């Protein structure tokens, strides 16, 4: 699985801590981690929590990533921005129990975490435990197990509902504020990571046209 890490500006100084915790858990399980930044608080390309959502939508809808790990000070803003995108189902995850239940019940494709609120001593251990609960086993099995089928059915209903209420991602890219879009994909490694992994030629072509 391709996992994308996105960090917004207020928490950019913690990117290395978050990335190390994520890769320490995910890579031994056979997953790939792509760190889309921000990498430091001084990066030229600055991501807001709104851009986190837009970037998550680009990565997931193009299949450049299978899962997005993002967040902000409280995790709320990035979660809301992600869930505004078509095809993105993002949960607010604070602790390993949240991660387990989100993975088993909701089986979404993105999480948003608080990287300021409650982020103190041994925070990196909490991050590793969260990622283990998300990535070490099969998701979507249901909890409790006897409710697995109704949970699966409800996920399908929610997916259909979102498809009916959202534009497709290419339409989003063409109609969103273009300066906002350009800023969201201005990270140092976006070009290297995204175009090598994107499976949607139309999305790739449109984003390339912005830089032409």
């Amino acid at each position: 699985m391709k996992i994308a890490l996105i960090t917004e500006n207020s928490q950019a100084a913690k990117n290395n801590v978050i990335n190390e915790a994520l890769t320490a858990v995910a890579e031994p399980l056979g997953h790939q981690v792509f760190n889309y930044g921000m990498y430091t608080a001084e990066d030229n390309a600055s991501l807001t929590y709104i851009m986190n959502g837009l970037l998550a939508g680009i990565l997931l809808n193009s299949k450049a990533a299978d899962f997005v790990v993002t967040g902000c000070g409280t995790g709320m803003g990035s979660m809301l921005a992600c869930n505004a995108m078509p095809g993105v189902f993002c949960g607010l995850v604070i602790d390993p129990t949240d991660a387990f239940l989100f993975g088993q019940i909701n089986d979404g494709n993105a999480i948003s975490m608080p990287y300021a609120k409650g982020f103190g001593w041994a925070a990196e251990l909490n991050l590793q435990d969260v990622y283990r609960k998300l990535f070490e086993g099969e998701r979507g099995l249901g909890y409790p197990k006897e409710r697995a089928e109704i949970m699966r059915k409800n996920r399908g209903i929610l997916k259909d509902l979102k498809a009916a209420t959202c534009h497709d991602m290419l339409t989003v890219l063409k109609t969103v504020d273009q300066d906002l879009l350009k800023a969201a994909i201005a990270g140092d490694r976006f070009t290297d990571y995204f175009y090598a992994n994107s499976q949607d030629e139309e999305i790739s072509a449109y984003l390339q046209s912005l830089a032409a």
Side-chain angles (χ1 to χ4, degrees):
M1 183 163 60
K2 293 176 290 188
I3 302 169
L5 173 62
I6 307 171
T7 313
E8 55 90 62
N9 51 20
S10 77
Q11 304 306 309
K14 296 169 185 167
N15 174 267
N16 189 55
V17 172
I18 299 165
N19 184 57
E20 285 185 357
L22 179 57
T23 55
V25 172
E27 289 186 349
L29 295 172
H31 305 303
Q32 292 177 282
V33 176
F34 297 89
N35 185 358
Y36 279 84
M38 297 174 58
Y39 307 104
T40 72
E42 290 75 38
D43 284 11
N44 291 326
S46 181
L47 291 171
T48 66
Y49 73 83
I50 301 162
M51 294 175 193
N52 284 9
L54 185 56
L55 184 51
I58 291 169
L59 298 177
L60 291 170
N61 281 278
S62 67
K63 296 183 172 58
D66 303 303
F67 199 96
V68 167
V69 172
T70 188
C72 52
T74 65
M76 297 288 190
S78 290
M79 178 196 67
L80 292 170
C82 284
N83 283 322
M85 295 294 107
V88 181
F89 299 89
C90 182
L92 177 66
V93 170
I94 299 173
D95 58 35
T97 302
D98 291 339
F100 173 79
L101 294 174
F102 176 68
Q104 296 306 315
I105 297 171
N106 308 107
D107 192 18
N109 53 13
I111 63 164
S112 180
M113 295 190 70
Y115 296 125
K117 179 179 180 290
F119 198 91
W121 189 69
E124 75 283 1
L125 300 181
N126 181 63
L127 291 177
Q128 290 182 26
D129 289 342
V130 163
Y131 302 143
R132 284 192 190 93
K133 288 297 184 183
L134 275 173
F135 302 126
E136 70 180 354
E138 184 179 353
R139 289 181 293 130
L141 298 179
Y143 185 86
K145 292 292 179 66
E146 58 268 22
R147 289 186 54 80
E149 179 56 28
I150 187 62
M151 290 171 180
R152 185 198 62 76
K153 181 178 179 180
N154 283 337
R155 290 196 299 270
I157 293 170
L158 179 60
K159 185 176 181 180
D160 290 344
L161 176 63
K162 187 152 195 172
T165 58
C166 288
H167 296 295
D168 65 277
M169 195 65 207
L170 187 61
T171 299
V172 172
L173 296 179
K174 290 180 176 180
T175 55
V176 73
D177 181 287
Q178 297 298 281
D179 289 335
L180 180 72
L181 175 56
K182 290 176 183 177
I185 62 172
D188 290 344
R189 299 175 198 168
F190 178 84
T191 298
D192 293 338
Y193 287 166
F194 176 75
Y195 294 110
N197 290 288
S198 173
Q199 299 177 39
D200 191 303
E201 293 182 1
E202 289 186 308
I203 290 177
S204 295
Y206 185 73
L207 295 181
Q208 284 175 320
S209 74
L210 296 178

